[in-house]
Amino acid sequence: MRNRSILLLGAVVTLLSASLEAQACGVKGHFNLFNCFGTQPGQCSDIRIDTPWTTVAPLTVSHAGSVGNGPPYSYGTGTTISDYGFLRAYGSGEAAPWPNGNGVNLFFQEWIGAEPLAQFTDTLLVVAPGLAPGTPVQLRASLHVGGFSAVTGPYAWTNDYRGTLLVNGWTVASLTNTNGVQVYTINTQVGQSILFGGRLFLTLRGQTGGTVNPVQTYNADVAATYDLTSLTPGVALQSCSGAAYNGLAARVTPV
């Protein structure tokens, strides 16, 4: 009877594993570089990046935009890295106004409303060969945000960054304009799957103008790391992506 139970449990795990392969996992990059000092052709550079979801990670997207030889001039760079459990966005830019003081735009931001610059989503199956399906399981999810972000100059409109952690589509942890760690406990069961994801937002907007400190700049490098470990002995997590969220992987932490 015991051998039959083990065979049935193995069949359940195999079936759930096959189902897991059909679940969601992927990474995505997205950002806008906007450099502009007028309305005539050649006076604006508007680079818009919005990659499709892909299962291949890490996904790195990097671009630069530039107008004018100065003054006026505006140039900026932006890069996003999207990986399972690790998101990063960084860039720098500078702009100077017209000699008469007219403004120049300098943006590194999202261009579709509330779209994160980097994000990932993964589906994980809770497996435990020594425990019966339905056995209660506790998982610990953590979000770590680190880095810096600054907009300097006379018209620093926006300087914001935020990392969020999602479980089954709900935001359960979030850090805005601060570095640190947030932890969330997930109550689930053996045989259940959970949707685990992260988003990283970064919005930098400035405009030059006037004659006092006319140069406008932005500099930022922000990263979010996501971990997921079991608090219940004998439990493993099978991910759609093949990634492990055990906190042991080496990560780049901007300083």
Side-chain angles (χ1 to χ4, degrees):
M1 187 68 179
R2 181 175 180 273
N3 290 338
R4 184 180 178 184
S5 298
I6 293 175
L7 289 174
L8 287 174
L9 177 59
V12 169
V13 171
T14 301
L15 178 62
L16 288 173
S17 297
S19 175
L20 180 64
E21 294 176 358
Q23 298 299 313
C25 57
V27 295
K28 192 174 185 296
H30 169 104
F31 62 86
N32 170 227
L33 289 173
F34 185 66
N35 303 95
C36 191
F37 61 81
T39 59
Q40 301 302 312
Q43 293 183 338
C44 285
S45 172
D46 190 3
I47 297 172
R48 300 183 178 188
I49 306 299
D50 190 51
T51 74
W53 284 95
T54 177
T55 57
V56 180
L59 172 65
T60 301
V61 184
S62 184
H63 279 273
S66 177
V67 290
N69 295 318
Y73 66 82
S74 178
Y75 68 84
T77 67
T79 300
T80 62
I81 300 175
S82 303
D83 199 357
Y84 298 106
F86 180 71
L87 305 173
R88 185 181 179 190
Y90 60 93
S92 62
E94 183 177 300
W98 291 82
N100 63 8
N102 287 345
V104 175
N105 290 320
L106 177 68
F107 298 165
F108 178 30
Q109 61 180 1
E110 80 288 347
W111 63 274
I112 298 176
E115 182 80 6
L117 269 66
Q119 60 181 313
F120 79 92
T121 186
D122 205 353
T123 304
L124 296 102
L125 177 67
V126 180
V127 296
L131 300 175
T135 300
V137 170
Q138 276 198 337
L139 308 176
R140 181 179 62 203
S142 64
L143 162 68
H144 174 211
V145 175
F148 65 90
S149 174
V151 179
T152 62
Y155 298 102
W157 291 352
T158 308
N159 173 28
D160 290 318
Y161 64 90
R162 175 166 50 98
T164 63
L165 185 154
L166 291 83
V167 174
N168 294 329
W170 294 92
T171 299
V172 298
S174 180
L175 288 166
T176 300
N177 295 334
T178 186
N179 298 337
V181 178
Q182 280 198 356
V183 177
Y184 178 78
T185 300
I186 303 170
N187 293 301
T188 183
Q189 300 175 355
V190 174
Q192 293 293 312
S193 62
I194 62 170
L195 199 62
F196 184 64
R199 296 176 178 175
L200 179 63
F201 301 82
L202 177 63
T203 304
L204 305 172
R205 297 177 185 149
Q207 184 186 58
T208 64
T211 58
V212 179
N213 189 22
V215 174
Q216 187 82 42
T217 69
Y218 72 76
N219 287 279
D221 192 348
V222 182
T225 303
Y226 302 81
D227 293 318
L228 185 63
T229 57
S230 174
L231 301 178
T232 304
V235 171
L237 301 172
Q238 293 182 356
S239 64
C240 165
S241 68
Y245 300 93
N246 56 10
L248 300 179
R251 305 293 190 185
V252 174
T253 301
V255 296

